[in-house]
Amino acid sequence: YTLSATVADQNGQAVAGSTVVTVHPASLYVGVHPAQYVATEGRDTTVELVTVDRDGTIAPGRAVSVKVYTRDWITTKEQIPGGGRRYRSEPRDTLLSTVSATTGADGKAVVTVRATKPGTLRIVGEVSDEQGRTERSAAYLWVAGAGFASWQVTNDDTLKLVADREQYAPGDTAEILVPAPFTGATALVTVERGKLVTREVRTLATNSERLRIPITDRSVPDVFVSVVLYRPPTVSDPIPRFKVGYVQLSVSTATRVLSVRLQPDRPQAKPGDTVHYDIVVTGPDGRGVRSEVSIAVVDRAVLSLQEERGPDGLRAFWFERGLGVNTASSMAVSVDLLIDLAVDAAPVGQRPHGCRAAPTSPPDPLASSTPALSAPPLPSDPSRNCVLTLTPPLPLPPPLPPLRPRA
């Protein structure tokens, strides 16, 4: 909370001040951290717990209750002022299981959770202090599986890819979850940083596929994984769809750290003496490394006044890189997509693009018709199911004059 006060004297001169006050829900906190953020349906996943007090000091021997919720997204298409339509996704959490644990002498504990279907799990940890006050912390776990997963549907063409870890090392394999809003998509999977490192085209059978990306030595200090999804028109949704998603993978720079050791030939010297130093530079594996070094001789009395603060050489050379690659698609200006968001929805069984097929199972959250909306019936054509006539909202510009060749 921010507390502010203003004091004014009889002449109208005012002096103001403010301060920030932190109000804790309890005298204890619980931390919840999944061992990996991407799990598999039907398999156990480890969740790490830690209890601390308000100052961050370890609080051992505390009882923690862990509640696991499965999150479903209820997606509808609603009208907005102006005649357009947009998707609206609202979460609905259902309690799946409750697990109890007691932290040890180091304030830590471990529990296992298991997902029964693909989608999102919300893991909530609860701890109570001596006064009965409860503090809650939450973390999310994304689950891949063979069934149809419920994901949030947005009103743009972006896709939020999920990496299974926060940081990797060369030799690791990153697992990336692709939470697609539709199944059967064709995916262009690329690894990028400054240029295209690798590329691959594959078909995603489900809408919760996991990609395995090998982390190489070239991946230091980071790389970007891009997924461009394309789904052709279907019986239930005659509009082609596409999504673009990126995720940044941070890679440890430990393999780039060099150790420098200086050894003088004498512990103490007198003015005029010559001192020889042995300089040894080794890599992370302890073996010598051919390198260039610079040496500075500074009076210790100067350092006693102010500590030397030189630049961090590791950060100067191995700083976090940017993407440096642009991705574009002509589908971003698709007329079919604009019409789908602009026209009124047709009743069930009559779609603006001429589809009378029954809805598929599971229902496609991107389907162009929604039972909650209604519109006048469209004129039917026996050969093409239905016909749609659109009137431009603005007058069309006059045609350009014909080109005439120069004399």
Side-chain angles (χ1 to χ4, degrees):
Y1 293 91
T2 301
L3 303 179
S4 303
T6 303
V7 178
D9 60 11
Q10 57 185 0
N11 298 323
Q13 300 293 328
V15 177
S18 63
T19 185
V20 178
V21 178
T22 302
V23 179
H24 299 276
S27 61
L28 297 174
Y29 280 90
V30 57
V32 181
H33 183 267
Q36 58 181 17
Y37 294 105
V38 179
T40 303
E41 176 188 6
R43 297 184 181 179
D44 292 336
T45 301
T46 301
V47 179
E48 301 170 351
L49 308 173
V50 61
T51 51
V52 297
D53 60 15
R54 290 180 294 186
D55 299 326
T57 305
I58 294 297
R62 301 293 180 174
V64 180
S65 175
V66 179
K67 296 182 179 180
V68 181
Y69 296 87
T70 178
R71 169 161 290 189
D72 295 319
W73 290 92
I74 310 302
T75 301
T76 57
K77 185 180 287 186
E78 60 183 9
Q79 287 184 324
I80 60 176
R85 294 183 296 168
R86 62 184 294 113
Y87 297 106
R88 181 177 181 180
S89 291
E90 296 184 349
R92 182 181 64 186
D93 294 343
T94 304
L95 182 61
L96 180 63
S97 61
T98 301
V99 183
S100 299
T102 302
T103 57
D106 56 355
K108 298 180 180 180
V110 175
V111 297
T112 58
V113 298
R114 173 175 294 188
T116 57
K117 65 177 184 178
T120 307
L121 293 184
R122 184 170 179 260
I123 305 172
V124 181
E126 299 181 355
V127 62
S128 301
D129 58 13
E130 289 76 5
Q131 286 74 32
R133 298 170 298 191
T134 302
E135 192 277 332
R136 297 177 178 87
S137 300
Y140 291 90
L141 186 66
W142 288 263
V143 184
F148 188 85
S150 174
W151 306 115
Q152 182 181 12
V153 177
T154 60
N155 291 280
D156 51 30
D157 300 322
T158 61
L159 187 68
K160 295 182 180 179
L161 305 181
V162 182
D164 64 332
R165 282 192 278 171
E166 298 172 351
Q167 191 178 56
Y168 302 88
D172 292 344
T173 299
E175 294 191 356
I176 310 299
L177 178 69
V178 184
F182 39 73
T183 60
T186 300
L188 172 61
V189 182
T190 59
V191 178
E192 308 170 5
R193 195 190 70 202
K195 64 177 182 179
L196 291 183
V197 181
T198 62
R199 64 183 183 274
E200 177 188 3
V201 177
R202 63 171 67 180
T203 300
L204 306 184
T206 68
N207 71 329
S208 60
E209 292 289 325
R210 299 171 70 169
L211 307 177
R212 296 176 61 86
I213 306 297
I215 304 299
T216 63
D217 189 68
R218 189 195 179 283
S219 303
V220 180
D222 62 342
V223 291
F224 296 83
V225 177
S226 168
V227 176
V228 180
L229 297 181
Y230 169 75
R231 193 213 60 187
T234 63
V235 175
S236 61
D237 184 14
I239 299 177
R241 306 284 180 177
F242 86 104
K243 292 282 186 178
V244 181
Y246 273 91
V247 63
Q248 181 180 4
L249 306 181
S250 297
V251 183
S252 173
T253 57
T255 56
R256 301 298 191 268
V257 176
L258 298 178
S259 300
V260 181
R261 179 170 57 88
L262 280 77
Q263 181 65 40
D265 61 351
R266 63 191 70 186
Q268 189 174 7
K270 297 179 298 183
D273 290 348
T274 300
V275 181
H276 297 274
Y277 286 87
D278 292 333
I279 304 175
V280 179
V281 181
T282 58
D285 55 0
R287 295 186 295 180
V289 178
R290 185 182 180 89
S291 57
E292 296 181 3
V293 297
S294 62
I295 300 176
V297 181
V298 184
D299 190 346
R300 187 173 182 178
V302 176
L303 296 180
S304 64
L305 298 176
Q306 183 177 2
E307 184 179 356
E308 183 182 9
R309 295 181 180 178
D312 186 347
L314 182 64
R315 185 178 297 273
F317 287 97
W318 297 104
F319 57 90
E320 187 178 83
R321 264 64 165 182
L323 175 59
V325 177
N326 293 328
T327 301
S329 172
S330 59
M331 291 189 64
V333 290
S334 170
V335 175
D336 289 336
L337 293 177
L338 296 178
I339 292 176
D340 179 53
L341 295 176
V343 300
D344 292 335
V348 178
Q350 295 182 355
R351 300 176 182 272
H353 289 260
C355 295
R356 286 185 173 177
T360 59
S361 179
D364 192 339
L366 297 181
S368 59
S369 68
T370 304
L373 303 177
S374 61
L378 297 173
S380 177
D381 184 345
S383 62
R384 296 297 301 276
N385 289 340
C386 62
V387 178
L388 175 65
T389 302
L390 297 179
T391 302
L394 297 176
L396 297 176
L400 297 176
L403 297 178
R404 296 180 179 179
R406 294 185 178 179

